[in-house]
Amino acid sequence: MDMRLPIGTAVIALLVLPLGYQLYSTTSMTPTDVAVQQPVQFEPPATEVAASEERAQSTVANTTPATVPKTVAAGRDQDLAAAPPEPAPMDDAMMDTEMAREAAPVVGGNSGIVAPQQAQSMAPAGALAESEAFYMPSPAPVPSVMLQPTAPSGDTFTSFDEQRLKAVADEPVSTFSIDVDTASYSYVRRQLEDGYVPEPDAVRIEELINYFPYDYPAAQSAAVPFKPTMAVYPTPWNPKTQLLQIGIKGYVPDAGEDKPSNLVFLIDTSGSMDEPDKLPLLKRAFGLLVDQLSANDTVSIVVYAGSAGVVLEPTMATEKARILGALDQLAAGGSTAGAAGIELAYRLAEQARVEGGTNRVILATDGDFNVGIDDPDDLESFIEAKRDSGTTLSVLGFGRGNLDDATMQALAQHGNGNASYISSFREAQKVLVEEIGGTLDMIAKDVKIQIEFNPAVISEYRLIGYKTRALNREDFNNDAVDAGDIGAGHTVTAIYEITPVGSGAEMIEPLRYGLESATGSGDEIAFLRMRYKLPESDVSQLIEQKVTPDLVYGDIGEVSDDMRFAAAVAAFGQKLKGSNYGSAMGWDDIEALARSGKGSDESGYRSEFIQLVDAASLLKPDTGTDPCGVSASGEGCE
C-alpha cells in the first residue's frame, strides 16, 4: 500500500492545526464588540492591589491561560504571563464559557462579573485607558443595589441642623426673618426628577413651602403692605400636637401702576457655563424678562470671567432687538480670572439710577463667584453698602456640578434680593414672568416675625424650617439688623408644631427647681408681632395680633386647601431631609394630604409636587419604622 499520501497529510495537519488554533484564540475568534466596551473605572485599595500582584507573581508559572489576568487592548487579549504552558484542549462549550469570562469587565468597587450587555449599558465611553482595564475574578456576584447611580457631586450647600424642640417655660419667644427664596425647591425637584435623593443640606423646608402661591387675603394699601392670616389645626403626623400656620401676602399694586426699573444683568461667561442648562438657558431666561419690561425700564449687561467687561450700556427696554442681540452674542469660554465685574455692574446701576423705582443687579451664574472681589467678607460688605445706597441684588443659579448655593444665598440676603435656581425654561417662566412683580418690586424690607407662646396653654414648640433665618430675641426691635424682604404679591408661610399643655405628647421634662406651675390666662394661645420697613424708610413699623382659641380647628379637613397643602409640603420636606421629628408620616399619607389640598391648581405646580412625592417614595422607600419612636413630640401608642 502506498503510504506517502497519508503521511504527507499527517505532516501538514501537524503543522497547520497548531497555527490555526493560535489564530483562533488570538484574532479571528476574539469578540470585537467586547473590545470596544470599556469597563467602569475602578480603583481598588492599595492593599488589595499589592496582594493581587503578589499572588500573580507566585502562581504565574503554574497557571493556565484561563486563570492568568488579561489586559484587554484594541480588540486583542495579551497574556501577562511571560511564557504560559500550552493550553489543554477545550470543546466548544468550554471555549464559549472561557471567552465570556475573559470579556466580562470589573464593575465599581466590587470584583463580581457582569454580562457584556450590562457592561455596555453601564460603562461610559473612554472610562479606562488601555493599561487600566483588567479582569479580576470573584466568588460573589455584585448586589444590584451597588449598581445604582450616585448623585452628582460638586454642588455645595450651607450645613445646618434643623430647628430643635423648645420648652415654653424656658424659651417662650421665637424670632426669625422671613424668607421668600425658592432655590431649594427647584434644586430638589431636579434631583428627584433625575433619579437622585438630594443631600439633606439642600432641603430647606421653608423654601419648599414658599415655592407655592397661597390665596391669603392681600393688604388694602402699600402703607401697610400685608396682614397675617393664622390657623391652628391637628398635626397630620402626630394627632396629639397641633400646627400653628402663619401666612402673609404682599400688597399687589394696581395694574395702572408702572414702577420704573433699572436692571443690570451681571452674567457669568466662564468656561463651565458652556452647557445647555447654563448659558443657553440663561439667555432664554433673560429674554423672557426683557419681554416683560416697559418704556420706563432700562437694561445693562456686564459679563465676567471668560469675557469680562460691559456688553451693553444702559439701554431703554423698548430697544428689545438691541438687548436681545447683546445677549445672543455671549459665549462661554476662557478661565475664571475675571475682572471687576461686580463693580462695573453697580457703576452702571448708579449711572442709570431711577428715583422711586427699582435699582437692581441680577447676578446669574452656575456657581463661579469670582466677580472681582475675592474675599467673601469684603464682597458681602460691598453688596451691603450698595444695598444701603438703594441698589439691591438678586441671584439666579443655573446648572449643576458647580453650584455654590451657600454663597448664592448669602449674597442675595446681604443684597436685599431673592435667590432662585433656574432648572428649566418653565422655571424661568415662573420666576421671571409669572412672579415678575415679586421678583423686582420690593414692597417691604427687613421683615421679622416674633411669636410669644402662652405657657398656660402651650408646653413645647418648634419652628419648621427657617434655621438659617433664626434671629436673637433682641434683634426684633433693632432696626440695624437686616432681615428678609417681600415683593409685590409674594406669599410667605411659616409653620410651628406646638404641644398643648396636658396633651401627653411632651418630650421635655419640667425643671425640678423651676416654677411650680405656669401662670396666665387661657384666652390666648400665643401673641404675634411683625416688624417691617417700607422700601424708602429706615424706621420699622409694628403689627401685632393675638392667636386665640377661635382660630383652632378640630379636624384638618376643616381648614383651607392651602393650609392642608402647606402641611403636606412640610411633611414631605421633613421626610426627605431625614428629620428627627416629623419624618414618620408615610409617603402615601403625604400624597393623600397633598391631593386633598390641591385645589384648582391653575399653574399645575401642585400636581407636579404630587408627582415628586411618588418619585421620592421610589428613591427613598418607607422603612416601616415605628412612628411611636420618632414622632414630632413623642406621639404615644395605645
Side-chain angles (χ1 to χ4, degrees):
M1 181 182 292
D2 189 355
M3 301 294 292
R4 289 174 298 176
L5 183 59
I7 293 173
T9 303
V11 171
I12 292 172
L14 290 173
L15 292 174
V16 172
L17 286 177
L19 179 60
Y21 178 78
Q22 180 67 17
L23 292 173
Y24 174 91
S25 61
T26 60
T27 57
S28 62
M29 293 302 294
T30 300
T32 56
D33 59 326
V34 173
V36 298
Q37 296 170 0
Q38 298 295 332
V40 176
Q41 191 164 358
F42 165 66
E43 295 182 10
T47 54
E48 184 177 334
V49 173
S52 177
E53 292 176 348
E54 183 177 349
R55 289 194 300 269
Q57 292 173 359
S58 63
T59 60
V60 68
N62 299 315
T63 15
T64 66
T67 58
V68 174
K70 303 287 184 178
T71 299
V72 182
R76 63 185 182 277
D77 292 350
Q78 181 178 11
D79 288 348
L80 295 180
E86 183 176 347
M90 292 185 289
D91 57 24
D92 291 343
M94 293 174 62
M95 178 66 71
D96 292 341
T97 301
E98 174 62 14
M99 290 173 61
R101 183 181 183 185
E102 290 181 359
V106 176
V107 179
N110 298 271
S111 55
I113 301 173
V114 295
Q117 62 267 27
Q118 289 176 305
Q120 186 174 20
S121 65
M122 292 184 292
L128 287 182
E130 288 184 6
S131 62
E132 296 176 318
F134 60 91
Y135 160 79
M136 181 180 293
S138 170
V142 180
S144 60
V145 70
M146 298 299 294
L147 303 180
Q148 293 179 355
T150 56
S153 60
D155 300 335
T156 58
F157 300 88
T158 301
S159 178
F160 64 95
D161 297 323
E162 64 181 325
Q163 297 273 13
R164 64 181 180 83
L165 189 67
K166 298 181 180 180
V168 176
D170 299 331
E171 301 178 67
V173 177
S174 171
T175 308
F176 65 97
S177 163
I178 61 96
D179 186 3
V180 296
D181 293 341
T182 60
S184 178
Y185 181 86
S186 301
Y187 184 86
V188 165
R189 177 183 59 200
R190 178 171 183 173
Q191 292 290 88
L192 290 174
E193 289 177 343
D194 288 350
Y196 303 115
V197 176
E199 62 178 275
D201 288 336
V203 183
R204 292 186 292 273
I205 300 174
E206 72 277 8
E207 294 189 25
L208 271 58
I209 296 172
N210 287 322
Y211 180 85
F212 302 93
Y214 300 100
D215 192 23
Y216 301 131
Q220 300 301 312
S221 70
V224 183
F226 48 79
K227 63 179 181 180
T229 299
M230 294 185 289
V232 178
Y233 53 89
T235 304
W237 55 86
N238 185 353
K240 291 190 176 182
T241 66
Q242 297 172 323
L243 297 183
L244 166 60
Q245 183 166 330
I246 306 165
I248 58 175
K249 182 174 183 177
Y251 169 73
V252 181
D254 294 336
E257 296 183 34
D258 188 8
K259 190 176 181 179
S261 296
N262 162 35
L263 306 179
V264 181
F265 301 162
L266 177 57
I267 299 175
D268 177 3
T269 55
S270 60
S272 63
M273 291 290 288
D274 191 16
E275 296 181 22
D277 61 346
K278 294 183 179 180
L279 188 57
L281 176 58
L282 182 155
K283 292 179 182 180
R284 290 183 290 153
F286 276 128
L288 289 175
L289 176 55
V290 170
D291 283 341
Q292 307 305 306
L293 302 180
S294 68
N296 288 339
D297 307 319
T298 60
V299 172
S300 312
I301 301 176
V302 175
V303 296
Y304 69 95
S307 51
V310 176
V311 173
L312 183 71
E313 294 283 346
T315 302
M316 297 302 300
T318 50
E319 299 186 50
K320 297 187 186 299
R322 183 181 174 192
I323 298 171
L324 296 176
L327 283 170
D328 188 59
Q329 73 178 7
L330 299 180
S335 67
T336 57
I342 193 78
E343 295 171 303
L344 279 172
Y346 276 102
R347 190 182 309 160
L348 289 181
E350 292 169 357
Q351 178 181 329
R353 181 179 180 83
V354 291
E355 294 298 332
T358 299
N359 298 279
R360 180 164 299 195
V361 173
I362 301 179
L363 170 59
T365 178
D366 71 337
D368 173 24
F369 289 98
N370 188 5
V371 291
I373 300 176
D374 296 329
D375 184 85
D377 292 336
D378 290 344
L379 180 57
E380 291 175 3
S381 297
F382 177 82
I383 291 172
E384 283 182 359
K386 296 301 182 181
R387 173 198 72 196
D388 293 340
S389 68
T391 302
T392 57
L393 173 75
S394 288
V395 184
L396 304 180
F398 289 83
R400 188 167 56 192
N402 193 42
L403 187 69
D404 186 352
D405 177 84
T407 301
M408 186 171 81
Q409 295 289 324
L411 296 186
Q413 290 179 23
H414 286 280
N416 272 13
N418 48 336
S420 301
Y421 176 67
I422 308 299
S423 57
S424 63
F425 187 70
R426 184 169 187 255
E427 183 64 17
Q429 288 179 301
K430 179 179 185 292
V431 174
L432 300 175
V433 177
E434 297 173 19
E435 300 174 352
I436 185 64
T439 302
L440 299 181
D441 187 4
M442 181 175 63
I443 60 170
K445 62 184 181 181
D446 294 341
V447 183
K448 307 169 187 175
I449 294 179
Q450 186 173 82
I451 287 279
E452 180 181 352
F453 291 98
N454 182 357
V457 180
I458 304 300
S459 62
E460 298 167 354
Y461 69 91
R462 68 181 182 93
L463 176 60
I464 299 176
Y466 289 97
K467 177 62 176 180
T468 62
R469 296 284 189 159
L471 297 174
N472 297 321
R473 181 175 176 180
E474 62 271 20
D475 294 339
F476 183 75
N477 291 321
N478 186 350
D479 284 353
V481 175
D482 184 55
D485 310 293
I486 295 180
H490 258 158
T491 58
V492 181
T493 301
I495 300 176
Y496 284 89
E497 183 175 5
I498 57 179
T499 305
V501 170
S503 66
E506 291 84 356
M507 291 285 288
I508 302 173
E509 289 290 335
L511 294 174
R512 179 180 179 87
Y513 303 108
L515 297 175
E516 291 185 2
S517 62
T519 59
S521 169
D523 295 339
E524 296 179 12
I525 297 171
F527 194 76
L528 170 70
R529 299 180 182 91
M530 301 182 67
R531 282 201 175 274
Y532 67 95
K533 299 174 186 173
L534 294 175
E536 303 299 327
S537 175
D538 293 325
V539 178
S540 66
Q541 307 294 320
L542 178 64
I543 295 175
E544 296 180 319
Q545 186 169 320
K546 298 176 184 179
V547 184
T548 54
D550 61 293
L551 297 177
V552 178
Y553 293 83
D555 190 317
I556 194 171
E558 298 174 358
V559 301
S560 68
D561 291 345
D562 283 344
M563 291 183 176
R564 286 197 302 278
F565 188 81
V569 179
F572 170 83
Q574 290 177 140
K575 192 172 185 68
L576 193 62
K577 188 177 180 64
S579 168
N580 291 326
Y581 299 100
S583 60
M585 190 175 179
W587 293 116
D588 289 344
D589 292 334
I590 294 174
E591 180 178 338
L593 183 60
R595 288 186 183 278
S596 76
K598 179 182 172 183
S600 61
D601 191 32
E602 295 179 1
S603 62
Y605 298 127
R606 297 190 182 189
S607 296
E608 178 186 71
F609 170 78
I610 293 170
Q611 294 174 358
L612 288 189
V613 177
D614 284 338
S617 70
L618 297 175
L619 296 169
K620 191 177 180 180
D622 288 327
T623 59
T625 302
D626 180 6
C628 302
V630 294
S631 65
S633 297
E635 173 187 351
C637 294
E638 300 297 333

